[in-house]
Amino acid sequence: MNAIGLSGVSKQFGRFWANRDISLNIGSGSIHAIVGENGAGKSTLIRMIYGLLTPTDGSISVNGHVVRFTSPRQAIAAGIGMVHQHFMLIPDLTVTENIILGDERSALFATLDRKQAARKIKTISENHGLEIDPAIPVSELSVGEEQRVEILKLLYREANILILDEPTAVLTPSETGQLFATLKSLRNNGKTVILVTHKLDEVLSVSDMVSVMRKGRIAATEQTSSVTKGDLANLMVGRNVLLRTENPPEKTGKLVLKVSDLQYRDARGRQKLNGLSFEISSGEIYGIAGVEGNGQSELLAMLWGMIEPGSATSGSITVDNITLSSKTPAEIAAAGVSLIPEDRLKHAVIGEFAVGENMIFGRHREKKFRRFGGFDTNSIRSYTNTMIERYDIRYDKQSNPSLSSLSGGNQQKIVLAREIERPGLKLLILAQPTRGVDIGAIEMIHKKIIATRDKGIAILLVSSELDEIISLSTRIGCIYKGAIRQEFSPEDVRKGRSSEQDFEKEIGMFIT
Amino acid sequence: MKPVSVMRKRIISLVAPLFAVMTALLLSTLLIAATGRNPLMIYHKMLSMTFGSDYGTGQIVFRTTSLLLTGLAVAIPFRVKLFNIGGEGQVLAGVFAAAFTGILLPPQTHPLIAISICSISAMLAGSMLALLAGWLKVRLGINEVISTIMLNFIAQAFVGYMLTWHLSVPSTVHTPEIVQSAQIPMADAVIGIWRNSPANMSTVLALAACLGTWIVIFKSTAGYEMRAAGLQPEAARYGGINTDAHILKAMAAGGAMAGLVSTNLVLGYKHFYEAGLGSGIGFIGIAVALLAYAHPLWIIPSALLFGFLEYGGLTVNAYVPKDIFMMVQAVTILMVLVLTKKPKRP
Ligand SMILES: Nc1ncnc2c1ncn2[C@@H]1O[C@H](COP(=O)(O)OP(=O)(O)O)[C@@H](O)[C@H]1O
Ligand SMILES: [Mg+2]
């Protein structure tokens, strides 16, 4: 029996086909993963199943019956539920109230039977490992717990087909494990789960079937047990990709960055950094592993002179014995430091500016780009062209588009090119350098990072992707509650790389 | 898909103002017809008394000149996402400052020096007023729309008081004339056209201001930083740009442009300040800037259109109420806003 059947489904936006001729069967009582790079059309596909979009062509059936949903309401009635990437919960209401909201089953102005609802919620959560206290307000929950509430909401409404769009993007490693246990338990109880993700390890560890999407089409649908990570990656990109970046031994030089005893108390009085110290020498990559919210953002803010007003900080930061504390971003950059911030779109580029204008953004004070009171457009153009070639940046040059119309990977390459090629660079700070970037581009970005290290530049890498940290770093520091809790030496890391699973677990113990 | 949508955006931004003007014209035709007049007759009269005549053209040029400057006064701060509603007050401050300095100057001052001193003091006066609003914004986060409106009232009250109590020529509502050397020659006297109309050589100055502003905003490094600060303030700060400084600079420059209106009204035409001089010009400047998407060169045709509607309305006032043309102005702006707005729901 198929829970969902798609035959010849297409979706067109303007002249662009986001989904093209998709035929796919999702077996009842299975976990079916849909993988693909950003923009492959995964979200479009499930939004059609959930009634948020209507297909341009083709037909969708649920439990064998052809349906044509025009709104999610109809999908819900047919037993389909979806966990959105952005949760739709009301912070001031309790877990129970949030779950029954919109499904109160009582007449207007009649009292709610909260007790019975709470009992039902308790049973569901015990059966599927969805631990939660139904009586506390949602505002006190962690992100992982909020997601559990979203899933409970669907189960409370007796949804039989659950759709999750990139559910692990916001979770810690242990929360991810817990979520997967829940999904398996649901599957064993006969529910159907559609899991959208771009992380291949997750697919392999949890799904029964996997469909790979590429450029709006289904490239393949396979039994998960019969494919490898490499197969999936090749199918996603459409060519052979190396998942493991070549990482030759490094030659470490003299000390560049010295961070000692950083303290950071934010405007609301919360201690975000608590005696954080580490050092980086030239020619090495220092990876900071940790769950988000353990002080990474505050460390980056201090390194870049962007401390929030109202917060109290202390400690010292020096680059080549020049102190950076109380300097502005412009002065820090002039001292030979580059930062690739986490939120590229918000902090590293101007979406409306053209590619050339972004290529010099933050470096526009350099003499070689200037002429009289303005810019030397010839020098900027030739510099941009050089970078486009060196970093394999792809876009339609003829139309001189604004940056925001480039893909995420190409935008990130522009930022990377600009920051790596800064004259007199001593320290490169990378925050989540491959977030939202396609596998094909990740390979290239990782290579550039290693090459930069080999030019004798000190690199700080902050990433929540453990495999990225492990494959690139010379040394690894585990950040937990605003301090480095454990540091792994180059020997540890080299050894760890040969048995990555165990190493990830070991690191995991120090960051939670 | 992406390049297509970029192209489409560009085309929309070119066509929208034209379409808006056409719609407004259509509306005015209907309104004129509703008053019982023949729209064609009215348009014919209007054209022959404006662009069709030497004097009428001069009148339009004169009005356009002021609007170029108040348009810039709105457009420049708009680049850093600030909405300068204070054009009225800034024009007033400038006009008054120019008239006041013009009285004080010794009569034998060299014309170039006299004109420069008067214009600079007018620019400073307009600037100071705008800068105050900018400072309130940067320091305390006070909304510039509110503060500039309040400053309009303050400027009006102050200038009104100074005029009635200290500076007016007895039993009139104007100040004494400025010295001869501070007066900017009429267009008629220099190039021999637009006879008897108030058009004067300050138009050249206003056009130069548009060109200069365009160069600064789109070609200079300061303009690059300013645009970045307006489009993406957080990114600008990461890129080492002092966004607060750019907000202050943009407000100061906007106020200075409003102040420069005095070259047209006082130095070029009236030669004194009288109650009500320059009133309303600051507000129309908002419309001029909006229609031109705050682009310093598009402001030129935009100001010309509004200058034409302003004077054109007057010429046919005997047949149809000139208020019809005020409505046309307002409808044009509303249409542009509507056409360039992305719909909230797809
Ligand atoms: N409402 C829309 N209008 C136009 N294009 C869209 C719309 N939604 C998605 N797209 C385009 O469709 C493609 C696939 O998007 P999506 O389904 O979100 O991909 P994924 O979830 O795999 O990252 C992208 O190129 C995206 O820009
Ligand atoms: Mg998606």
Side-chain angles (χ1 to χ4, degrees), chain B residues 286-303:
Chain B
I286 299 170
V288 169
L290 284 176
L291 185 65
Y293 300 117
H295 191 290
L297 295 183
W298 282 112
I299 278 184
I300 299 171
S302 174

mmCIF file of all heavy atoms in Angstrom, chain B residues 286-303:
data_model
loop_
_atom_site.group_PDB
_atom_site.id
_atom_site.type_symbol
_atom_site.label_atom_id
_atom_site.label_comp_id
_atom_site.label_asym_id
_atom_site.label_seq_id
_atom_site.Cartn_x
_atom_site.Cartn_y
_atom_site.Cartn_z
ATOM 1 N N ILE B 286 8.942 66.046 -1.562
ATOM 2 C CA ILE B 286 8.780 64.630 -1.197
ATOM 3 C C ILE B 286 8.233 63.864 -2.397
ATOM 4 O O ILE B 286 8.737 62.801 -2.759
ATOM 5 C CB ILE B 286 7.818 64.487 0.002
ATOM 6 C CG1 ILE B 286 8.386 65.225 1.215
ATOM 7 C CG2 ILE B 286 7.567 63.023 0.320
ATOM 8 C CD1 ILE B 286 7.402 65.346 2.363
ATOM 9 N N ALA B 287 7.211 64.445 -3.028
ATOM 10 C CA ALA B 287 6.603 63.810 -4.198
ATOM 11 C C ALA B 287 7.618 63.703 -5.336
ATOM 12 O O ALA B 287 7.715 62.679 -6.005
ATOM 13 C CB ALA B 287 5.383 64.600 -4.642
ATOM 14 N N VAL B 288 8.369 64.789 -5.536
ATOM 15 C CA VAL B 288 9.377 64.788 -6.607
ATOM 16 C C VAL B 288 10.362 63.639 -6.395
ATOM 17 O O VAL B 288 10.660 62.879 -7.314
ATOM 18 C CB VAL B 288 10.118 66.142 -6.644
ATOM 19 C CG1 VAL B 288 11.342 66.071 -7.544
ATOM 20 C CG2 VAL B 288 9.183 67.244 -7.096
ATOM 21 N N ALA B 289 10.840 63.484 -5.172
ATOM 22 C CA ALA B 289 11.825 62.431 -4.885
ATOM 23 C C ALA B 289 11.212 61.043 -5.045
ATOM 24 O O ALA B 289 11.846 60.136 -5.570
ATOM 25 C CB ALA B 289 12.383 62.604 -3.476
ATOM 26 N N LEU B 290 9.979 60.884 -4.605
ATOM 27 C CA LEU B 290 9.341 59.567 -4.705
ATOM 28 C C LEU B 290 9.166 59.151 -6.156
ATOM 29 O O LEU B 290 9.450 58.026 -6.534
ATOM 30 C CB LEU B 290 7.985 59.570 -3.996
ATOM 31 C CG LEU B 290 8.018 59.514 -2.470
ATOM 32 C CD1 LEU B 290 6.613 59.625 -1.916
ATOM 33 C CD2 LEU B 290 8.670 58.221 -2.001
ATOM 34 N N LEU B 291 8.695 60.076 -6.967
ATOM 35 C CA LEU B 291 8.466 59.754 -8.373
ATOM 36 C C LEU B 291 9.782 59.392 -9.059
ATOM 37 O O LEU B 291 9.806 58.614 -9.997
ATOM 38 C CB LEU B 291 7.797 60.938 -9.091
ATOM 39 C CG LEU B 291 7.398 60.695 -10.541
ATOM 40 C CD1 LEU B 291 6.309 59.641 -10.632
ATOM 41 C CD2 LEU B 291 6.925 61.989 -11.202
ATOM 42 N N ALA B 292 10.886 59.970 -8.567
ATOM 43 C CA ALA B 292 12.190 59.734 -9.193
ATOM 44 C C ALA B 292 12.934 58.588 -8.522
ATOM 45 O O ALA B 292 14.115 58.386 -8.793
ATOM 46 C CB ALA B 292 13.029 61.006 -9.135
ATOM 47 N N TYR B 293 12.289 57.817 -7.648
ATOM 48 C CA TYR B 293 12.951 56.767 -6.880
ATOM 49 C C TYR B 293 14.198 57.291 -6.172
ATOM 50 O O TYR B 293 15.210 56.616 -6.065
ATOM 51 C CB TYR B 293 13.386 55.604 -7.769
ATOM 52 C CG TYR B 293 12.287 54.920 -8.506
ATOM 53 C CD1 TYR B 293 12.260 54.920 -9.889
ATOM 54 C CD2 TYR B 293 11.266 54.258 -7.822
ATOM 55 C CE1 TYR B 293 11.254 54.282 -10.586
ATOM 56 C CE2 TYR B 293 10.262 53.621 -8.510
ATOM 57 C CZ TYR B 293 10.256 53.628 -9.881
ATOM 58 O OH TYR B 293 9.268 52.988 -10.562
ATOM 59 N N ALA B 294 14.138 58.526 -5.732
ATOM 60 C CA ALA B 294 15.258 59.141 -5.005
ATOM 61 C C ALA B 294 16.556 59.125 -5.811
ATOM 62 O O ALA B 294 17.641 59.118 -5.253
ATOM 63 C CB ALA B 294 15.468 58.467 -3.648
ATOM 64 N N HIS B 295 16.436 59.108 -7.122
ATOM 65 C CA HIS B 295 17.639 59.143 -7.962
ATOM 66 C C HIS B 295 17.917 60.583 -8.383
ATOM 67 O O HIS B 295 17.048 61.239 -8.965
ATOM 68 C CB HIS B 295 17.424 58.267 -9.196
ATOM 69 C CG HIS B 295 18.676 58.044 -9.973
ATOM 70 N ND1 HIS B 295 19.282 59.050 -10.695
ATOM 71 C CD2 HIS B 295 19.456 56.950 -10.133
ATOM 72 C CE1 HIS B 295 20.364 58.575 -11.270
ATOM 73 N NE2 HIS B 295 20.487 57.301 -10.941
ATOM 74 N N PRO B 296 19.140 61.077 -8.109
ATOM 75 C CA PRO B 296 19.419 62.503 -8.306
ATOM 76 C C PRO B 296 19.232 62.981 -9.745
ATOM 77 O O PRO B 296 18.981 64.168 -9.953
ATOM 78 C CB PRO B 296 20.882 62.653 -7.893
ATOM 79 C CG PRO B 296 21.256 61.411 -7.202
ATOM 80 C CD PRO B 296 20.268 60.346 -7.539
ATOM 81 N N LEU B 297 19.366 62.106 -10.727
ATOM 82 C CA LEU B 297 19.174 62.573 -12.100
ATOM 83 C C LEU B 297 17.723 62.443 -12.548
ATOM 84 O O LEU B 297 17.203 63.296 -13.263
ATOM 85 C CB LEU B 297 20.098 61.827 -13.067
ATOM 86 C CG LEU B 297 21.585 62.089 -12.834
ATOM 87 C CD1 LEU B 297 22.434 61.365 -13.873
ATOM 88 C CD2 LEU B 297 21.907 63.578 -12.841
ATOM 89 N N TRP B 298 17.048 61.385 -12.109
ATOM 90 C CA TRP B 298 15.625 61.253 -12.423
ATOM 91 C C TRP B 298 14.823 62.379 -11.780
ATOM 92 O O TRP B 298 13.689 62.665 -12.186
ATOM 93 C CB TRP B 298 15.089 59.904 -11.963
ATOM 94 C CG TRP B 298 15.453 58.768 -12.877
ATOM 95 C CD1 TRP B 298 16.289 57.732 -12.600
ATOM 96 C CD2 TRP B 298 15.017 58.578 -14.224
ATOM 97 N NE1 TRP B 298 16.405 56.907 -13.690
ATOM 98 C CE2 TRP B 298 15.633 57.401 -14.708
ATOM 99 C CE3 TRP B 298 14.172 59.302 -15.085
ATOM 100 C CZ2 TRP B 298 15.421 56.918 -15.995
ATOM 101 C CZ3 TRP B 298 13.969 58.818 -16.370
ATOM 102 C CH2 TRP B 298 14.592 57.645 -16.801
ATOM 103 N N ILE B 299 15.401 63.002 -10.783
ATOM 104 C CA ILE B 299 14.720 64.120 -10.128
ATOM 105 C C ILE B 299 14.474 65.255 -11.130
ATOM 106 O O ILE B 299 13.497 65.989 -11.021
ATOM 107 C CB ILE B 299 15.547 64.597 -8.914
ATOM 108 C CG1 ILE B 299 15.225 63.679 -7.737
ATOM 109 C CG2 ILE B 299 15.247 66.040 -8.558
ATOM 110 C CD1 ILE B 299 15.883 64.058 -6.459
ATOM 111 N N ILE B 300 15.327 65.362 -12.129
ATOM 112 C CA ILE B 300 15.178 66.483 -13.070
ATOM 113 C C ILE B 300 13.850 66.398 -13.835
ATOM 114 O O ILE B 300 13.049 67.336 -13.764
ATOM 115 C CB ILE B 300 16.407 66.578 -14.014
ATOM 116 C CG1 ILE B 300 17.654 66.832 -13.166
ATOM 117 C CG2 ILE B 300 16.211 67.681 -15.044
ATOM 118 C CD1 ILE B 300 18.961 66.744 -13.921
ATOM 119 N N PRO B 301 13.558 65.279 -14.536
ATOM 120 C CA PRO B 301 12.237 65.221 -15.182
ATOM 121 C C PRO B 301 11.091 65.244 -14.183
ATOM 122 O O PRO B 301 10.030 65.824 -14.458
ATOM 123 C CB PRO B 301 12.263 63.889 -15.937
ATOM 124 C CG PRO B 301 13.411 63.118 -15.398
ATOM 125 C CD PRO B 301 14.397 64.111 -14.872
ATOM 126 N N SER B 302 11.300 64.632 -13.039
ATOM 127 C CA SER B 302 10.240 64.595 -12.037
ATOM 128 C C SER B 302 9.897 66.011 -11.558
ATOM 129 O O SER B 302 8.721 66.390 -11.481
ATOM 130 C CB SER B 302 10.698 63.716 -10.866
ATOM 131 O OG SER B 302 9.773 63.755 -9.823
ATOM 132 N N ALA B 303 10.921 66.803 -11.268
ATOM 133 C CA ALA B 303 10.683 68.173 -10.806
ATOM 134 C C ALA B 303 10.030 68.995 -11.918
ATOM 135 O O ALA B 303 9.162 69.835 -11.667
ATOM 136 C CB ALA B 303 12.003 68.817 -10.377
#
